[in-house]
């Protein structure tokens, strides 16, 4: 937990980092054909990096340490420089192999991802152990779950032993799932991930609310789940529904990462749990209105949301 | 023409250069979905650069000067280094703006190109004027026609005034078309480009042979045109048909560039025109069996081809 000599909020994010290449096109070419790229953005990417950047934007005073692996190449060097320039702590960024490349082809607000997630870009147990001191000193550990289970469990255990709350983003399958959810203070998942966590499809708002109630019974004090047309945020004794707004979606990439950053900041600030979800929803709304998944979240105000249709688990 | 003190063949290529990003995937994702990249190649690209590299591979003793424009950025610096390492003369490479990016998504032997051809990457009249001395000293000028017409005409006129033969690759429309074809020693075009040159569709082998005969009447002494299933190469008094082989196509990118390099080398070496086409066809065949459009052409032997079905223009 934070030291007496420094009252800045401290976040550690364990997750993926790489290079994003965003290509905006006006329609995909047929096989054998070609199309013009209207806009091209190249920059630091990966869900871990995106969450870390969002945290710094929403909480400019906070210390944010990113635990991730970049390549021992030019692209990796540029990504480290960019993370530093955005205020993200880079001391726990491993450097090895080839930097991952995430190509995001955006066509009329819909995206297709072509992902070259190199083996070297996955976080290892050793990467986590190097960051153990940072995790123990954190106010919140964010675990982006698209990483090897061994590294995730190692990080969660270090946090649990030190009393540091853990926020999970995404899903894993198998035994690790129950262990991680059991150690989590908060869980955020999109519809496909929630299906993995619960073993049943999440289609409607009512499905999401029922799923959130069921996850709350496993230990977390906050659960945020996405359905097709909005997000439910539930806690013991209450829940709110944040419908997706009518604003046009430029690029859905990064909405989930921004949502995670929002609830992470709200939790550490000690906001009412109702407000925590509102900040996540507002950050996600801001993210989808920009091309390329990098948020611009400074100054975002919490959304209000609606009372959930279904009662959630009892007060704790 | 080549100086008495140096009997190396000299080629100048005016065309496009940039960065190629080749992504091999197993099926394209649906909107909202993602797919894994199986193989990724990043390197020097663009049709001008590809032709220049092919020339050096087919004629390792030759001097090849590339007239093109790369960005004043990291990608441009890497592209210049790569061209130099491949033996291409880089003294006439302009550096300005942002390097073009050509993304080649290859799925089961079919490609889709997403092209960010930056304005800065197009060759200007000034770029050509800087290279005037190289053009005058060349044995052959290769003009890749996907460039501004003013620069193409300027280069063709410098060559014509110095008695340097010109090989055109591709097509342009309007007045410049007749001027360029009239100055050309040889013309190479794919089916779509031949349609632009002639104003009628090229579908069958017979269409291509008829189109080649018609272009020969406008001045060139060699015309090579692609149809769907092969290439026709015609000269005054003869023609051959080079059917596409049965070898599986890994990536069709670069086949035309390799074809151009083959006929350029054959023409400068003074091969029989029948052999010239065979070297082009063999180079194209080699190119389609590699991912990413960079040829590996050293040691390619001319294909034999078949007698054309249709008699060509009279002997000259």
């Amino acid at each position: 937990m934070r030291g007496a000599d420094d009252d800045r909020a401290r976040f550690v994010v364990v997750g993926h980092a790489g290079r994003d290449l965003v290509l905006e096109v006006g329609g995909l070419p047929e096989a054998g054909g070609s199309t013009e790229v209207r806009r091209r953005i190249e920059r630091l990417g990966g869900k871990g990096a995106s969450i870390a950047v969002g945290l710094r934007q929403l909480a400019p005073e906070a210390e944010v340490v990113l635990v991730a692996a970049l390549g021992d190449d030019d692209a990796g060097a540029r990504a480290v420089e960019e993370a530093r320039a955005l205020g993200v702590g880079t001391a726990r960024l491993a450097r090895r192999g080839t930097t991952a490349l995430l190509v995001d082809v955006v066509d009329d607000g819909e995206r297709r991802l072509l992902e070259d997630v190199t083996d070297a870009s996955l976080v290892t147990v050793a990467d986590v152990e190097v960051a153990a001191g940072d995790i123990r000193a954190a106010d919140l550990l964010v675990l982006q779950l698209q990483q090897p289970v061994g590294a995730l469990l190692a990080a969660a255990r270090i946090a649990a032993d030190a009393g540091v709350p853990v926020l999970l983003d995404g899903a894993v399958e198998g035994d690790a799932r129950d262990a991680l959810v059991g150690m989590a203070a908060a869980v955020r998942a999109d519809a496909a991930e929630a299906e993995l966590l619960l073993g049943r499809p999440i289609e409607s708002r009512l499905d999401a609310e029922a799923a959130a109630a069921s996850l709350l019974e496993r230990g977390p004090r906050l659960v945020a789940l996405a359905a097709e047309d909005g997000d439910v945020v539930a806690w013991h004794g209450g829940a709110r529904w944040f419908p997706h707004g009518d604003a046009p979606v430029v690029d859905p990439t990064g909405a989930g990462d921004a949502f995670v950053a929002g609830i992470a900041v709200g939790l550490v600030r000690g906001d009412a749990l109702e407000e925590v979800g509102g900040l996540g929803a507002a950050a996600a709304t801001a993210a989808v209105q920009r091309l390329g998944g990098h948020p611009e979240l400074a100054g975002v105000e919490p959304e209000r949301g609606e009372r959930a249709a279904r009662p959630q688990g009892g007060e704790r």
Side-chain angles (χ1 to χ4, degrees), chain A residues 229-278:
Chain A
D229 52 348
D231 296 89
V232 66
V233 178
W235 57 94
H236 294 283
R240 289 199 85 75
W241 171 253
F242 299 92
H244 292 162
D246 295 330
V249 170
V250 175
D251 179 4
T253 309
D257 307 329
F259 202 107
V260 170
I263 57 180
V265 167
L267 285 171
V268 166
R269 225 158 47 186
D271 291 355
L273 292 178
E274 190 166 325
E275 295 277 314
V276 168

Side-chain angles (χ1 to χ4, degrees), chain A residues 150-227:
Chain A
L152 296 170
L153 286 170
R157 284 185 189 125
I158 293 167
D161 289 349
V164 173
V166 179
L167 165 56
L168 305 183
D169 175 45
V172 292
E173 291 180 278
D175 293 346
R177 176 186 63 190
D178 297 334
L180 286 165
V181 173
M183 287 190 271
V187 174
R188 198 268 165 189
D190 67 22
E193 294 160 345
E195 186 171 340
L196 279 182
L197 288 174
L198 288 154
R200 57 175 192 259
I202 310 293
E203 282 158 7
S204 66
R205 170 178 172 177
L206 284 177
D207 289 344
E209 292 184 5
S214 159
L215 279 170
L216 279 176
E217 287 164 16
R218 302 199 203 166
R221 61 191 196 95
L222 187 85
V223 172
L225 298 182

Side-chain angles (χ1 to χ4, degrees), chain A residues 13 16 25 38 42 54 71 81 90 97 113 116 144 149 158 173 208 211 250 257 260 267-268 297 305-306 316:
Chain A
V13 180
H16 197 247
V25 298
R38 292 178 178 169
E42 285 194 74
E81 263 175 50
T90 60
L113 288 175
D116 185 9
Q144 210 298 316
V149 158
I158 293 167
E173 291 180 278
V250 175
D257 307 329
V260 170
L267 285 171
V268 166
L297 303 181
E306 303 167 10
R316 276 204 191 173

